[in-house]
Amino acid sequence: MKKVTSIFLKILSMLVITILLAEIVAFFLLKFDQTELFSIRNYIEKTNDNRIFTLKKNYEDDELDHTYEGRTFSIVTSSERLRISKKNKNSLSIKNEGNKSKFLFIGDSIPFGYGVDAEESLPFYFQNYNKNLIVLNGAIPSYSISQSVERYNKEFKDIKNIKYIYLQLLSPAPEYGMLGVDWESGDTWFNFSDKVLKPYHLVNISIPYYGESFFLDFLRKKIYRQALKKKKTGNLQQKQNKQSDIKFVNYLNLNLNNFYNLTKNNDTILILSSANIPRFSAKTRTAEYERAIKLLNKTFSDFSLKKNDVFYFDVSNELNINSKEMFIDYCCHLSAK
């Protein structure tokens, strides 16, 4: 019995030592692994509704972005969860500016100005050219169309005198472009990595008093990288088809109609902008990805043709004249120029 107990203890000790070594090695390897599985970033917080997450109030810090050449840029938010410039962070609340006409930017990281300071973002420049308007940056990185509509409904619809709303985003086009017929209406950047990893049955385990396993996190990222690479290079098990296109377009129109219905009684003009991606990064995207972006843009354009108070703003060709000067990365994010 003692011999059995001794062997069991030795095996248990070796197992514990192996796990600890794996955790230590994974901890250091993760320092050099910038693969991004969606996480709640410092400047956002989770919600219990269809927004999923939103900007924190009165936040101020520098954000280090590992993906795009390690840029550092500042993020400052107001008490109304808007991105603002450091120069106007002490300005009056917009609730006290009810009589002034307002222009709301909403959507994802493109109108947000991800990768640049607020002073180099589209809403800030637009404010400089339109002194008669109060310009509000209500965009959030990684937001989808459904999250944007929900955010407007929860946070902005009661703000007085919003005369114009500018909507610009990519999601859910990239998800549809990579998932094909496996795409579902609930797929966003928030759950995208879970969807990709689902076939591998890698459950995200949190150990009491310890937290998440570094080794499991490293393994998830490694597998996710390989799986994502296959999707980006076109090795989809199920590509798009006519039925999936109809489902995708119907989903976009459903959200656009919901958005329009929320704004139409407020004498508001809705501006839908094209999703702009740089020409120089075309080789990094599949034909399915490109097609999904074009389908999103066409749906936005078609929707504007049906409504007198909705406009489509297409600047794709203008931005691609000198795309390496206009974009800071291979995705879509605009430079200060």
Side-chain angles (χ1 to χ4, degrees), residues 190-212:
F190 181 76
N191 62 6
F192 185 74
S193 61
D194 291 335
K195 178 111 180 192
V196 172
L197 291 169
K198 187 177 180 180
Y200 302 93
H201 307 290
L202 287 173
V203 180
N204 196 8
I205 300 173
S206 182
I207 304 169
Y209 305 107
Y210 181 78
E212 296 179 2

PDB file of all heavy atoms in Angstrom, residues 190-212:
ATOM      1  N   PHE A 190     -17.021  40.434 -30.683  1.00  0.00           N
ATOM      2  CA  PHE A 190     -16.992  40.026 -29.275  1.00  0.00           C
ATOM      3  C   PHE A 190     -16.952  38.506 -29.130  1.00  0.00           C
ATOM      4  O   PHE A 190     -16.240  37.972 -28.279  1.00  0.00           O
ATOM      5  CB  PHE A 190     -18.215  40.588 -28.532  1.00  0.00           C
ATOM      6  CG  PHE A 190     -18.255  40.232 -27.075  1.00  0.00           C
ATOM      7  CD1 PHE A 190     -17.426  40.877 -26.169  1.00  0.00           C
ATOM      8  CD2 PHE A 190     -19.117  39.257 -26.613  1.00  0.00           C
ATOM      9  CE1 PHE A 190     -17.452  40.550 -24.821  1.00  0.00           C
ATOM     10  CE2 PHE A 190     -19.157  38.927 -25.260  1.00  0.00           C
ATOM     11  CZ  PHE A 190     -18.319  39.573 -24.367  1.00  0.00           C
ATOM     12  N   ASN A 191     -17.698  37.788 -29.978  1.00  0.00           N
ATOM     13  CA  ASN A 191     -17.743  36.330 -29.847  1.00  0.00           C
ATOM     14  C   ASN A 191     -17.072  35.606 -31.015  1.00  0.00           C
ATOM     15  O   ASN A 191     -17.177  34.391 -31.137  1.00  0.00           O
ATOM     16  CB  ASN A 191     -19.194  35.848 -29.704  1.00  0.00           C
ATOM     17  CG  ASN A 191     -20.049  36.165 -30.923  1.00  0.00           C
ATOM     18  OD1 ASN A 191     -19.553  36.651 -31.942  1.00  0.00           O
ATOM     19  ND2 ASN A 191     -21.334  35.911 -30.829  1.00  0.00           N
ATOM     20  N   PHE A 192     -16.393  36.366 -31.889  1.00  0.00           N
ATOM     21  CA  PHE A 192     -15.828  35.775 -33.093  1.00  0.00           C
ATOM     22  C   PHE A 192     -14.781  34.709 -32.789  1.00  0.00           C
ATOM     23  O   PHE A 192     -14.783  33.625 -33.377  1.00  0.00           O
ATOM     24  CB  PHE A 192     -15.225  36.860 -33.983  1.00  0.00           C
ATOM     25  CG  PHE A 192     -14.721  36.338 -35.309  1.00  0.00           C
ATOM     26  CD1 PHE A 192     -15.608  35.990 -36.306  1.00  0.00           C
ATOM     27  CD2 PHE A 192     -13.365  36.189 -35.552  1.00  0.00           C
ATOM     28  CE1 PHE A 192     -15.158  35.507 -37.536  1.00  0.00           C
ATOM     29  CE2 PHE A 192     -12.906  35.707 -36.762  1.00  0.00           C
ATOM     30  CZ  PHE A 192     -13.802  35.367 -37.757  1.00  0.00           C
ATOM     31  N   SER A 193     -13.872  34.996 -31.860  1.00  0.00           N
ATOM     32  CA  SER A 193     -12.833  34.012 -31.540  1.00  0.00           C
ATOM     33  C   SER A 193     -13.441  32.748 -30.944  1.00  0.00           C
ATOM     34  O   SER A 193     -12.977  31.635 -31.218  1.00  0.00           O
ATOM     35  CB  SER A 193     -11.798  34.607 -30.573  1.00  0.00           C
ATOM     36  OG  SER A 193     -12.399  34.991 -29.349  1.00  0.00           O
ATOM     37  N   ASP A 194     -14.494  32.889 -30.137  1.00  0.00           N
ATOM     38  CA  ASP A 194     -15.170  31.712 -29.577  1.00  0.00           C
ATOM     39  C   ASP A 194     -15.790  30.867 -30.690  1.00  0.00           C
ATOM     40  O   ASP A 194     -15.765  29.638 -30.626  1.00  0.00           O
ATOM     41  CB  ASP A 194     -16.260  32.141 -28.587  1.00  0.00           C
ATOM     42  CG  ASP A 194     -15.688  32.750 -27.317  1.00  0.00           C
ATOM     43  OD1 ASP A 194     -14.525  32.423 -26.983  1.00  0.00           O
ATOM     44  OD2 ASP A 194     -16.388  33.545 -26.671  1.00  0.00           O
ATOM     45  N   LYS A 195     -16.325  31.547 -31.703  1.00  0.00           N
ATOM     46  CA  LYS A 195     -16.936  30.836 -32.824  1.00  0.00           C
ATOM     47  C   LYS A 195     -15.880  30.061 -33.606  1.00  0.00           C
ATOM     48  O   LYS A 195     -16.093  28.910 -33.987  1.00  0.00           O
ATOM     49  CB  LYS A 195     -17.634  31.836 -33.741  1.00  0.00           C
ATOM     50  CG  LYS A 195     -18.277  31.225 -34.968  1.00  0.00           C
ATOM     51  CD  LYS A 195     -19.765  31.287 -34.897  1.00  0.00           C
ATOM     52  CE  LYS A 195     -20.408  30.670 -36.110  1.00  0.00           C
ATOM     53  NZ  LYS A 195     -21.831  30.957 -36.216  1.00  0.00           N
ATOM     54  N   VAL A 196     -14.731  30.696 -33.833  1.00  0.00           N
ATOM     55  CA  VAL A 196     -13.648  30.044 -34.577  1.00  0.00           C
ATOM     56  C   VAL A 196     -13.089  28.857 -33.800  1.00  0.00           C
ATOM     57  O   VAL A 196     -12.754  27.809 -34.375  1.00  0.00           O
ATOM     58  CB  VAL A 196     -12.527  31.059 -34.885  1.00  0.00           C
ATOM     59  CG1 VAL A 196     -11.299  30.362 -35.476  1.00  0.00           C
ATOM     60  CG2 VAL A 196     -13.026  32.132 -35.840  1.00  0.00           C
ATOM     61  N   LEU A 197     -12.997  28.997 -32.477  1.00  0.00           N
ATOM     62  CA  LEU A 197     -12.408  27.949 -31.637  1.00  0.00           C
ATOM     63  C   LEU A 197     -13.405  26.867 -31.221  1.00  0.00           C
ATOM     64  O   LEU A 197     -13.004  25.855 -30.644  1.00  0.00           O
ATOM     65  CB  LEU A 197     -11.798  28.575 -30.372  1.00  0.00           C
ATOM     66  CG  LEU A 197     -10.548  29.429 -30.588  1.00  0.00           C
ATOM     67  CD1 LEU A 197     -10.204  30.201 -29.321  1.00  0.00           C
ATOM     68  CD2 LEU A 197      -9.374  28.565 -31.018  1.00  0.00           C
ATOM     69  N   LYS A 198     -14.674  27.078 -31.505  1.00  0.00           N
ATOM     70  CA  LYS A 198     -15.710  26.141 -31.061  1.00  0.00           C
ATOM     71  C   LYS A 198     -15.448  24.693 -31.484  1.00  0.00           C
ATOM     72  O   LYS A 198     -15.605  23.763 -30.679  1.00  0.00           O
ATOM     73  CB  LYS A 198     -17.075  26.605 -31.567  1.00  0.00           C
ATOM     74  CG  LYS A 198     -18.236  25.793 -31.015  1.00  0.00           C
ATOM     75  CD  LYS A 198     -19.574  26.364 -31.493  1.00  0.00           C
ATOM     76  CE  LYS A 198     -20.737  25.555 -30.939  1.00  0.00           C
ATOM     77  NZ  LYS A 198     -22.047  26.108 -31.393  1.00  0.00           N
ATOM     78  N   PRO A 199     -15.014  24.434 -32.730  1.00  0.00           N
ATOM     79  CA  PRO A 199     -14.764  23.041 -33.135  1.00  0.00           C
ATOM     80  C   PRO A 199     -13.645  22.369 -32.341  1.00  0.00           C
ATOM     81  O   PRO A 199     -13.546  21.140 -32.328  1.00  0.00           O
ATOM     82  CB  PRO A 199     -14.388  23.155 -34.616  1.00  0.00           C
ATOM     83  CG  PRO A 199     -14.944  24.473 -35.055  1.00  0.00           C
ATOM     84  CD  PRO A 199     -14.847  25.352 -33.863  1.00  0.00           C
ATOM     85  N   TYR A 200     -12.785  23.170 -31.680  1.00  0.00           N
ATOM     86  CA  TYR A 200     -11.639  22.608 -30.954  1.00  0.00           C
ATOM     87  C   TYR A 200     -11.963  22.342 -29.475  1.00  0.00           C
ATOM     88  O   TYR A 200     -11.122  21.824 -28.747  1.00  0.00           O
ATOM     89  CB  TYR A 200     -10.441  23.555 -31.066  1.00  0.00           C
ATOM     90  CG  TYR A 200     -10.043  23.821 -32.497  1.00  0.00           C
ATOM     91  CD1 TYR A 200     -10.543  24.925 -33.186  1.00  0.00           C
ATOM     92  CD2 TYR A 200      -9.185  22.964 -33.182  1.00  0.00           C
ATOM     93  CE1 TYR A 200     -10.196  25.168 -34.512  1.00  0.00           C
ATOM     94  CE2 TYR A 200      -8.833  23.197 -34.500  1.00  0.00           C
ATOM     95  CZ  TYR A 200      -9.350  24.297 -35.161  1.00  0.00           C
ATOM     96  OH  TYR A 200      -8.998  24.526 -36.469  1.00  0.00           O
ATOM     97  N   HIS A 201     -13.159  22.752 -29.050  1.00  0.00           N
ATOM     98  CA  HIS A 201     -13.646  22.475 -27.690  1.00  0.00           C
ATOM     99  C   HIS A 201     -12.683  22.976 -26.612  1.00  0.00           C
ATOM    100  O   HIS A 201     -12.437  22.308 -25.615  1.00  0.00           O
ATOM    101  CB  HIS A 201     -13.899  20.974 -27.502  1.00  0.00           C
ATOM    102  CG  HIS A 201     -14.792  20.381 -28.547  1.00  0.00           C
ATOM    103  ND1 HIS A 201     -16.138  20.668 -28.623  1.00  0.00           N
ATOM    104  CD2 HIS A 201     -14.520  19.532 -29.587  1.00  0.00           C
ATOM    105  CE1 HIS A 201     -16.667  20.009 -29.649  1.00  0.00           C
ATOM    106  NE2 HIS A 201     -15.714  19.328 -30.255  1.00  0.00           N
ATOM    107  N   LEU A 202     -12.129  24.160 -26.838  1.00  0.00           N
ATOM    108  CA  LEU A 202     -11.223  24.749 -25.851  1.00  0.00           C
ATOM    109  C   LEU A 202     -12.009  25.675 -24.929  1.00  0.00           C
ATOM    110  O   LEU A 202     -12.237  26.844 -25.233  1.00  0.00           O
ATOM    111  CB  LEU A 202     -10.104  25.526 -26.550  1.00  0.00           C
ATOM    112  CG  LEU A 202      -9.034  24.671 -27.227  1.00  0.00           C
ATOM    113  CD1 LEU A 202      -8.099  25.549 -28.027  1.00  0.00           C
ATOM    114  CD2 LEU A 202      -8.256  23.868 -26.198  1.00  0.00           C
ATOM    115  N   VAL A 203     -12.427  25.160 -23.823  1.00  0.00           N
ATOM    116  CA  VAL A 203     -13.208  25.928 -22.870  1.00  0.00           C
ATOM    117  C   VAL A 203     -12.291  26.882 -22.117  1.00  0.00           C
ATOM    118  O   VAL A 203     -11.180  26.523 -21.720  1.00  0.00           O
ATOM    119  CB  VAL A 203     -13.926  24.994 -21.859  1.00  0.00           C
ATOM    120  CG1 VAL A 203     -14.747  25.809 -20.878  1.00  0.00           C
ATOM    121  CG2 VAL A 203     -14.793  23.997 -22.594  1.00  0.00           C
ATOM    122  N   ASN A 204     -12.750  28.111 -21.929  1.00  0.00           N
ATOM    123  CA  ASN A 204     -11.969  29.108 -21.199  1.00  0.00           C
ATOM    124  C   ASN A 204     -12.188  28.911 -19.694  1.00  0.00           C
ATOM    125  O   ASN A 204     -13.209  29.291 -19.153  1.00  0.00           O
ATOM    126  CB  ASN A 204     -12.390  30.518 -21.629  1.00  0.00           C
ATOM    127  CG  ASN A 204     -11.355  31.550 -21.208  1.00  0.00           C
ATOM    128  OD1 ASN A 204     -10.282  31.211 -20.740  1.00  0.00           O
ATOM    129  ND2 ASN A 204     -11.693  32.813 -21.391  1.00  0.00           N
ATOM    130  N   ILE A 205     -11.214  28.295 -19.034  1.00  0.00           N
ATOM    131  CA  ILE A 205     -11.344  27.935 -17.623  1.00  0.00           C
ATOM    132  C   ILE A 205     -10.700  28.985 -16.737  1.00  0.00           C
ATOM    133  O   ILE A 205      -9.573  29.421 -16.988  1.00  0.00           O
ATOM    134  CB  ILE A 205     -10.694  26.563 -17.352  1.00  0.00           C
ATOM    135  CG1 ILE A 205     -11.365  25.486 -18.196  1.00  0.00           C
ATOM    136  CG2 ILE A 205     -10.773  26.209 -15.877  1.00  0.00           C
ATOM    137  CD1 ILE A 205     -10.675  24.137 -18.129  1.00  0.00           C
ATOM    138  N   SER A 206     -11.411  29.377 -15.702  1.00  0.00           N
ATOM    139  CA  SER A 206     -10.863  30.295 -14.703  1.00  0.00           C
ATOM    140  C   SER A 206     -10.741  29.543 -13.378  1.00  0.00           C
ATOM    141  O   SER A 206     -11.726  29.041 -12.838  1.00  0.00           O
ATOM    142  CB  SER A 206     -11.766  31.521 -14.543  1.00  0.00           C
ATOM    143  OG  SER A 206     -11.208  32.422 -13.615  1.00  0.00           O
ATOM    144  N   ILE A 207      -9.521  29.447 -12.860  1.00  0.00           N
ATOM    145  CA  ILE A 207      -9.248  28.696 -11.627  1.00  0.00           C
ATOM    146  C   ILE A 207      -9.394  29.623 -10.427  1.00  0.00           C
ATOM    147  O   ILE A 207      -8.817  30.719 -10.416  1.00  0.00           O
ATOM    148  CB  ILE A 207      -7.823  28.097 -11.660  1.00  0.00           C
ATOM    149  CG1 ILE A 207      -7.655  27.230 -12.919  1.00  0.00           C
ATOM    150  CG2 ILE A 207      -7.549  27.284 -10.397  1.00  0.00           C
ATOM    151  CD1 ILE A 207      -6.227  26.811 -13.174  1.00  0.00           C
ATOM    152  N   PRO A 208     -10.151  29.215  -9.419  1.00  0.00           N
ATOM    153  CA  PRO A 208     -10.326  30.052  -8.213  1.00  0.00           C
ATOM    154  C   PRO A 208      -8.976  30.443  -7.592  1.00  0.00           C
ATOM    155  O   PRO A 208      -8.072  29.612  -7.489  1.00  0.00           O
ATOM    156  CB  PRO A 208     -11.133  29.150  -7.264  1.00  0.00           C
ATOM    157  CG  PRO A 208     -11.851  28.196  -8.178  1.00  0.00           C
ATOM    158  CD  PRO A 208     -10.927  27.967  -9.338  1.00  0.00           C
ATOM    159  N   TYR A 209      -8.852  31.715  -7.213  1.00  0.00           N
ATOM    160  CA  TYR A 209      -7.654  32.278  -6.573  1.00  0.00           C
ATOM    161  C   TYR A 209      -6.429  32.310  -7.506  1.00  0.00           C
ATOM    162  O   TYR A 209      -5.341  32.673  -7.093  1.00  0.00           O
ATOM    163  CB  TYR A 209      -7.274  31.511  -5.301  1.00  0.00           C
ATOM    164  CG  TYR A 209      -8.392  31.415  -4.291  1.00  0.00           C
ATOM    165  CD1 TYR A 209      -9.062  30.216  -4.088  1.00  0.00           C
ATOM    166  CD2 TYR A 209      -8.797  32.529  -3.557  1.00  0.00           C
ATOM    167  CE1 TYR A 209     -10.108  30.123  -3.181  1.00  0.00           C
ATOM    168  CE2 TYR A 209      -9.839  32.450  -2.636  1.00  0.00           C
ATOM    169  CZ  TYR A 209     -10.495  31.252  -2.453  1.00  0.00           C
ATOM    170  OH  TYR A 209     -11.523  31.169  -1.561  1.00  0.00           O
ATOM    171  N   TYR A 210      -6.616  31.890  -8.746  1.00  0.00           N
ATOM    172  CA  TYR A 210      -5.500  31.882  -9.698  1.00  0.00           C
ATOM    173  C   TYR A 210      -5.841  32.648 -10.968  1.00  0.00           C
ATOM    174  O   TYR A 210      -5.034  33.410 -11.484  1.00  0.00           O
ATOM    175  CB  TYR A 210      -5.125  30.435 -10.047  1.00  0.00           C
ATOM    176  CG  TYR A 210      -3.958  30.317 -11.010  1.00  0.00           C
ATOM    177  CD1 TYR A 210      -2.654  30.477 -10.579  1.00  0.00           C
ATOM    178  CD2 TYR A 210      -4.172  30.058 -12.362  1.00  0.00           C
ATOM    179  CE1 TYR A 210      -1.576  30.373 -11.454  1.00  0.00           C
ATOM    180  CE2 TYR A 210      -3.121  29.950 -13.260  1.00  0.00           C
ATOM    181  CZ  TYR A 210      -1.825  30.104 -12.797  1.00  0.00           C
ATOM    182  OH  TYR A 210      -0.766  30.018 -13.676  1.00  0.00           O
ATOM    183  N   GLY A 211      -7.052  32.453 -11.449  1.00  0.00           N
ATOM    184  CA  GLY A 211      -7.470  33.112 -12.682  1.00  0.00           C
ATOM    185  C   GLY A 211      -7.369  32.169 -13.866  1.00  0.00           C
ATOM    186  O   GLY A 211      -7.379  30.943 -13.716  1.00  0.00           O
ATOM    187  N   GLU A 212      -7.210  32.728 -15.067  1.00  0.00           N
ATOM    188  CA  GLU A 212      -7.159  31.925 -16.285  1.00  0.00           C
ATOM    189  C   GLU A 212      -5.777  31.304 -16.470  1.00  0.00           C
ATOM    190  O   GLU A 212      -4.760  31.897 -16.100  1.00  0.00           O
ATOM    191  CB  GLU A 212      -7.518  32.784 -17.496  1.00  0.00           C
ATOM    192  CG  GLU A 212      -8.946  33.308 -17.471  1.00  0.00           C
ATOM    193  CD  GLU A 212      -9.288  34.169 -18.664  1.00  0.00           C
ATOM    194  OE1 GLU A 212      -8.402  34.319 -19.538  1.00  0.00           O
ATOM    195  OE2 GLU A 212     -10.404  34.686 -18.732  1.00  0.00           O
TER     196      GLU A 212
END
